[in-house]
Amino acid sequence: MKFYQRLAYYLVGLVMGAFVVALVLSGKDTRCNYFPNSRVLNDLRNKPFNYSIEASRKLSEDWIDTVDIKNTLTYGDVDFDKSNISYQNGKLYIIEGQTVQKDTITLRVINYPNKAVLEDIIRKK
């Protein structure tokens, strides 16, 4: 068998395989969270999310909005040196992110087995 025939068989198989994989994965809400940062943020986003009194007070101020919280829970960085500490029957996570105005913020989130609570929002200048 000549090279171009082998190449043609390879490409036909590759296209058919890619089609099957795309067909299987297209209808599902598939996520590939292999790294610890992605796993923690995904877990926090998928639970019912509540706000403490202190966090609600800071959200009423003009410098931060719930959009900033959602963006931080999607694109933020978990500080594992200060996080994953047992705290009030849950685990405390420190997440660093940015607001829309490019202010650096730090979220203190408690991850309970059935919910997540935003404990505090810290603004860094």
Side-chain angles (χ1 to χ4, degrees), residues 55-122:
S56 296
R57 186 184 63 76
K58 289 189 180 178
L59 280 171
S60 66
E61 297 174 6
D62 289 337
W63 63 272
I64 193 159
D65 193 10
T66 56
V67 174
D68 299 325
I69 303 299
K70 290 182 182 189
N71 286 339
T72 301
L73 289 176
T74 303
Y75 305 110
D77 294 322
V78 179
D79 187 356
F80 285 103
D81 290 337
K82 300 175 186 173
S83 297
N84 206 7
I85 300 168
S86 295
Y87 185 80
Q88 297 178 358
N89 298 327
K91 291 192 176 186
L92 175 68
Y93 288 100
I94 307 296
I95 304 166
E96 297 176 354
Q98 286 187 340
T99 63
V100 176
Q101 293 87 11
K102 303 295 182 197
D103 292 336
T104 303
I105 60 172
T106 301
L107 304 180
R108 290 174 40 104
V109 180
I110 302 172
N111 189 10
Y112 294 107
N114 56 356
K115 67 179 179 178
V117 177
L118 178 61
E119 189 70 22
D120 193 14
I121 305 165
I122 302 165

Side-chain angles (χ1 to χ4, degrees), residues 29-48:
D29 187 18
T30 308
R31 292 185 185 94
C32 299
N33 296 324
Y34 296 115
F35 296 110
N37 192 60
S38 298
R39 287 184 188 184
V40 168
L41 293 177
N42 186 39
D43 185 40
L44 293 173
R45 283 193 311 266
N46 289 332
K47 290 184 178 179

